[in-house]
mmCIF file of all heavy atoms in Angstrom:
data_model
loop_
_atom_site.group_PDB
_atom_site.id
_atom_site.type_symbol
_atom_site.label_atom_id
_atom_site.label_comp_id
_atom_site.label_asym_id
_atom_site.label_seq_id
_atom_site.Cartn_x
_atom_site.Cartn_y
_atom_site.Cartn_z
ATOM 1 N N ARG A 75 -8.447 2.711 -19.136
ATOM 2 C CA ARG A 75 -8.915 2.936 -20.583
ATOM 3 C C ARG A 75 -9.020 4.534 -20.766
ATOM 4 O O ARG A 75 -9.960 5.096 -20.387
ATOM 5 C CB ARG A 75 -10.279 2.193 -20.629
ATOM 6 C CG ARG A 75 -10.973 2.539 -22.085
ATOM 7 C CD ARG A 75 -10.235 1.880 -23.197
ATOM 8 N NE ARG A 75 -10.237 0.436 -23.086
ATOM 9 C CZ ARG A 75 -9.600 -0.444 -23.927
ATOM 10 N NH1 ARG A 75 -8.760 0.050 -24.647
ATOM 11 N NH2 ARG A 75 -9.701 -1.704 -23.731
ATOM 12 N N PHE A 85 4.149 -4.202 -28.641
ATOM 13 C CA PHE A 85 3.044 -3.477 -28.996
ATOM 14 C C PHE A 85 1.979 -4.396 -29.600
ATOM 15 O O PHE A 85 2.290 -5.314 -30.389
ATOM 16 C CB PHE A 85 3.356 -2.414 -30.040
ATOM 17 C CG PHE A 85 2.120 -1.598 -30.420
ATOM 18 C CD1 PHE A 85 1.655 -0.575 -29.672
ATOM 19 C CD2 PHE A 85 1.345 -1.850 -31.549
ATOM 20 C CE1 PHE A 85 0.652 0.219 -29.960
ATOM 21 C CE2 PHE A 85 0.262 -1.106 -31.918
ATOM 22 C CZ PHE A 85 -0.165 -0.059 -30.992
ATOM 23 N N MET A 98 -1.495 -7.980 -23.517
ATOM 24 C CA MET A 98 -1.558 -7.151 -24.730
ATOM 25 C C MET A 98 -0.743 -5.788 -24.450
ATOM 26 O O MET A 98 -0.832 -5.279 -23.345
ATOM 27 C CB MET A 98 -3.110 -6.765 -24.907
ATOM 28 C CG MET A 98 -3.390 -5.937 -26.092
ATOM 29 S SD MET A 98 -3.353 -7.042 -27.538
ATOM 30 C CE MET A 98 -4.188 -5.723 -28.789
ATOM 31 N N HIS A 99 0.040 -5.331 -25.374
ATOM 32 C CA HIS A 99 0.697 -4.138 -25.277
ATOM 33 C C HIS A 99 1.862 -4.169 -24.197
ATOM 34 O O HIS A 99 2.282 -3.013 -23.773
ATOM 35 C CB HIS A 99 -0.178 -2.886 -24.996
ATOM 36 C CG HIS A 99 -0.979 -2.566 -26.225
ATOM 37 N ND1 HIS A 99 -0.558 -2.516 -27.467
ATOM 38 C CD2 HIS A 99 -2.318 -2.206 -26.263
ATOM 39 C CE1 HIS A 99 -1.552 -2.180 -28.269
ATOM 40 N NE2 HIS A 99 -2.614 -1.994 -27.611
ATOM 41 N N ARG A 103 2.110 -0.979 -18.575
ATOM 42 C CA ARG A 103 0.853 -0.228 -18.105
ATOM 43 C C ARG A 103 0.065 -1.024 -17.083
ATOM 44 O O ARG A 103 -0.929 -0.494 -16.481
ATOM 45 C CB ARG A 103 -0.095 -0.036 -19.335
ATOM 46 C CG ARG A 103 -0.474 -1.339 -19.999
ATOM 47 C CD ARG A 103 -1.421 -1.048 -21.145
ATOM 48 N NE ARG A 103 -1.977 -2.346 -21.748
ATOM 49 C CZ ARG A 103 -3.014 -2.311 -22.609
ATOM 50 N NH1 ARG A 103 -3.724 -1.209 -22.916
ATOM 51 N NH2 ARG A 103 -3.535 -3.497 -23.066
ATOM 52 N N HIS A 172 0.173 5.530 -26.232
ATOM 53 C CA HIS A 172 -1.045 5.120 -26.896
ATOM 54 C C HIS A 172 -2.145 6.141 -26.588
ATOM 55 O O HIS A 172 -3.239 5.904 -25.890
ATOM 56 C CB HIS A 172 -1.402 3.720 -26.353
ATOM 57 C CG HIS A 172 -2.595 3.056 -27.061
ATOM 58 N ND1 HIS A 172 -3.884 3.534 -27.144
ATOM 59 C CD2 HIS A 172 -2.575 1.869 -27.659
ATOM 60 C CE1 HIS A 172 -4.536 2.664 -27.788
ATOM 61 N NE2 HIS A 172 -3.930 1.560 -28.138
ATOM 62 N N TYR A 174 -5.079 8.684 -26.167
ATOM 63 C CA TYR A 174 -6.634 8.800 -26.457
ATOM 64 C C TYR A 174 -6.839 10.321 -26.364
ATOM 65 O O TYR A 174 -6.858 10.914 -25.308
ATOM 66 C CB TYR A 174 -7.485 8.091 -25.394
ATOM 67 C CG TYR A 174 -7.447 6.474 -25.452
ATOM 68 C CD1 TYR A 174 -6.365 5.832 -24.971
ATOM 69 C CD2 TYR A 174 -8.618 5.883 -25.830
ATOM 70 C CE1 TYR A 174 -6.355 4.438 -25.032
ATOM 71 C CE2 TYR A 174 -8.652 4.476 -25.875
ATOM 72 C CZ TYR A 174 -7.444 3.775 -25.459
ATOM 73 O OH TYR A 174 -7.520 2.414 -25.514
ATOM 74 N N LYS A 196 -5.077 -2.921 -39.965
ATOM 75 C CA LYS A 196 -5.376 -4.161 -39.155
ATOM 76 C C LYS A 196 -6.859 -4.604 -39.238
ATOM 77 O O LYS A 196 -7.248 -5.577 -38.713
ATOM 78 C CB LYS A 196 -4.935 -3.857 -37.718
ATOM 79 C CG LYS A 196 -3.405 -3.683 -37.513
ATOM 80 C CD LYS A 196 -3.026 -3.078 -36.243
ATOM 81 C CE LYS A 196 -3.382 -4.010 -34.991
ATOM 82 N NZ LYS A 196 -2.798 -3.397 -33.831
ATOM 83 N N ASP A 216 -7.995 0.928 -37.655
ATOM 84 C CA ASP A 216 -6.854 0.503 -36.799
ATOM 85 C C ASP A 216 -5.737 0.354 -37.781
ATOM 86 O O ASP A 216 -5.576 -0.642 -38.376
ATOM 87 C CB ASP A 216 -7.275 -0.883 -36.219
ATOM 88 C CG ASP A 216 -6.173 -1.236 -35.119
ATOM 89 O OD1 ASP A 216 -5.217 -0.565 -34.996
ATOM 90 O OD2 ASP A 216 -6.508 -2.312 -34.446
ATOM 91 N N VAL A 248 0.022 5.268 -34.967
ATOM 92 C CA VAL A 248 -1.116 4.470 -34.986
ATOM 93 C C VAL A 248 -2.331 5.275 -34.872
ATOM 94 O O VAL A 248 -2.420 6.108 -34.027
ATOM 95 C CB VAL A 248 -1.078 3.389 -33.782
ATOM 96 C CG1 VAL A 248 -2.203 2.478 -33.919
ATOM 97 C CG2 VAL A 248 0.264 2.588 -33.986
ATOM 98 N N TRP A 250 -6.548 4.857 -34.278
ATOM 99 C CA TRP A 250 -7.483 3.892 -33.863
ATOM 100 C C TRP A 250 -8.752 4.420 -33.387
ATOM 101 O O TRP A 250 -8.795 5.500 -32.702
ATOM 102 C CB TRP A 250 -6.839 2.933 -32.752
ATOM 103 C CG TRP A 250 -7.816 1.835 -32.304
ATOM 104 C CD1 TRP A 250 -8.375 0.900 -33.003
ATOM 105 C CD2 TRP A 250 -8.292 1.697 -30.844
ATOM 106 N NE1 TRP A 250 -9.168 0.067 -32.232
ATOM 107 C CE2 TRP A 250 -9.161 0.538 -30.912
ATOM 108 C CE3 TRP A 250 -8.137 2.337 -29.825
ATOM 109 C CZ2 TRP A 250 -9.823 0.060 -29.848
ATOM 110 C CZ3 TRP A 250 -8.825 1.910 -28.582
ATOM 111 C CH2 TRP A 250 -9.646 0.779 -28.620
ATOM 112 N N MET A 260 -15.952 -4.301 -25.594
ATOM 113 C CA MET A 260 -14.979 -3.948 -24.505
ATOM 114 C C MET A 260 -15.733 -3.618 -23.299
ATOM 115 O O MET A 260 -16.584 -2.654 -23.293
ATOM 116 C CB MET A 260 -14.073 -2.832 -25.014
ATOM 117 C CG MET A 260 -13.130 -3.199 -26.042
ATOM 118 S SD MET A 260 -11.933 -1.853 -26.451
ATOM 119 C CE MET A 260 -12.925 -0.838 -27.540
ATOM 120 N N GLU A 275 -1.265 7.624 -31.911
ATOM 121 C CA GLU A 275 -0.188 7.034 -31.037
ATOM 122 C C GLU A 275 1.131 7.203 -31.557
ATOM 123 O O GLU A 275 1.415 6.909 -32.743
ATOM 124 C CB GLU A 275 -0.538 5.604 -30.896
ATOM 125 C CG GLU A 275 -1.982 5.286 -30.336
ATOM 126 C CD GLU A 275 -2.436 3.859 -30.507
ATOM 127 O OE1 GLU A 275 -1.608 3.077 -30.398
ATOM 128 O OE2 GLU A 275 -3.632 3.743 -30.817
HETATM 129 O O1 LIG B 1 -3.461 0.884 -30.961
HETATM 130 C C1 LIG B 1 -4.669 0.180 -31.419
HETATM 131 C C2 LIG B 1 -4.789 -1.200 -30.763
HETATM 132 O O2 LIG B 1 -3.656 -2.013 -31.036
HETATM 133 C C3 LIG B 1 -6.063 -1.897 -31.252
HETATM 134 O O3 LIG B 1 -5.832 -2.965 -32.083
HETATM 135 C C4 LIG B 1 -6.773 -2.175 -29.946
HETATM 136 O O4 LIG B 1 -6.447 -3.441 -29.489
HETATM 137 C C5 LIG B 1 -6.270 -1.036 -28.997
HETATM 138 O O5 LIG B 1 -4.878 -1.046 -29.331
HETATM 139 C C6 LIG B 1 -6.662 -1.230 -27.593
HETATM 140 O O6 LIG B 1 -5.805 -2.188 -26.954
HETATM 141 P P1 LIG B 1 -6.229 -2.568 -25.491
HETATM 142 O O7 LIG B 1 -5.316 -3.742 -25.142
HETATM 143 O O8 LIG B 1 -5.908 -1.305 -24.658
HETATM 144 O O9 LIG B 1 -7.637 -2.862 -25.450
#
Side-chain angles (χ1 to χ4, degrees):
R75 176 65 68 187
F85 182 80
M98 184 80 166
H99 289 319
R103 62 182 185 158
H172 190 300
Y174 288 72
K196 292 167 67 175
D216 194 350
V248 181
W250 179 61
M260 291 183 280
E275 306 162 34

